[in-house]
Amino acid sequence: MSKAETFRALHQGRTPDDPLVLPGPWDAASARVFAAAGFPALATPSAGVAASLGYEDGATPADEMFAAIARITRAVDVPVSADVEGGYGLAPKELVERLLEAGAVGCNLEDSDAGALRDPHAHAEFLAEVRAAAGGLLFVNARVDTFVHGDGDPERAVERAALYVAAGADCIYPILAPPAVLPLLRAGIQGPLNALGRLDGDGSEPAALGGLGATRITFGPGLQRRAAAALREIADGLTP
């Protein structure tokens, strides 16, 4: 079984008490830590990678992002999915080629640009072209930004998700959806559902999100930021 097939299979047959937990490495060293801890796959966060490269979120040049993804995939044996934001303006075929060259088995693609939601029909067409170019070689996680750049209406999120699933998306990611609305999203969205996990004990822990309907849990830049905070604490202890 290829890494892409393994990654796809990890999303199938999940039970509420066992969602797929995908830590987000921001460089090769963090990827090796997560792989050594036993996680079966990883999912890079674009914001975390940006921070590791010295950029603000959303400002990483495409070449640097793909190079960072390649360093991460080379560092570990487990499958790695890559957050490539909105696709960096690349044509679907080139985007797929660059992801595969970097060693990724999946990708996140968001449906907003510069803080505004894209037309969902146009975005669905883009996803369909990515799906056609990738075939079964990439697991496409379609991010729905209704809760971060829209009005937060779950019904609008479900409507956008339906278009993306019909276009061939393998998973839907309503980023920043409040845990309380996950059961509604789960009822209205076909296939795997990605939720954003948090580390602050507010009900967004993996087990709690799984019980609310999430198939898989990712953390955005949360783990990178927690690591940076720990490093700041160490640095403060070194101050004369």
Side-chain angles (χ1 to χ4, degrees):
M1 184 180 291
S2 70
K3 283 186 178 180
E5 291 170 332
T6 297
F7 188 68
R8 189 176 300 278
L10 287 170
H11 293 77
Q12 305 305 315
R14 311 303 307 197
T15 57
D17 62 346
D18 183 34
L20 176 61
V21 178
L22 299 176
W26 53 94
D27 59 13
S30 59
R32 285 176 172 162
V33 169
F34 294 136
F39 290 98
L42 308 174
T44 70
S46 61
V49 173
S52 76
L53 297 174
Y55 293 102
E56 294 297 321
D57 185 19
T60 308
D63 287 349
E64 293 198 43
M65 182 62 75
F66 285 111
I69 294 166
R71 286 192 293 272
I72 289 169
T73 64
R74 286 196 301 265
V76 295
D77 291 329
V78 299
V80 177
S81 183
D83 182 350
V84 287
E85 303 177 277
Y88 305 111
L90 298 173
K93 185 174 184 294
E94 182 180 359
L95 176 61
V96 168
E97 289 173 349
R98 298 200 67 173
L99 282 162
L100 295 177
E101 288 171 358
V105 300
C107 63
N108 273 17
L109 288 167
E110 59 197 48
D111 68 346
S112 63
D113 183 34
L117 290 172
R118 295 176 174 175
D119 176 80
H121 296 279
H123 189 63
E125 290 179 8
F126 173 70
L127 291 174
E129 292 179 22
V130 171
R131 172 85 287 149
L137 299 178
L138 287 175
F139 185 95
V140 178
N141 190 33
R143 205 178 92 174
V144 175
D145 285 359
T146 305
F147 298 96
V148 60
H149 295 308
D151 60 7
D153 185 342
E155 293 298 335
R156 300 291 81 75
V158 169
E159 291 170 1
R160 297 175 81 90
L163 290 171
Y164 304 160
V165 170
D170 298 292
C171 185
I172 298 297
Y173 180 19
I175 189 170
L176 292 181
V181 306
L182 282 179
L184 177 60
L185 296 175
R186 174 69 286 165
I189 295 174
Q190 296 181 19
L193 181 66
N194 190 154
L196 179 69
R198 297 179 184 272
L199 307 174
D200 50 14
D202 68 344
S204 295
E205 302 84 356
L209 295 175
L212 293 172
T215 306
R216 85 179 204 177
I217 314 298
T218 54
F219 300 89
L223 300 175
Q224 182 271 329
R225 289 173 181 170
R226 176 67 68 89
L231 190 58
R232 282 194 297 272
E233 184 176 343
I234 292 171
D236 289 343
L238 300 175
T239 304

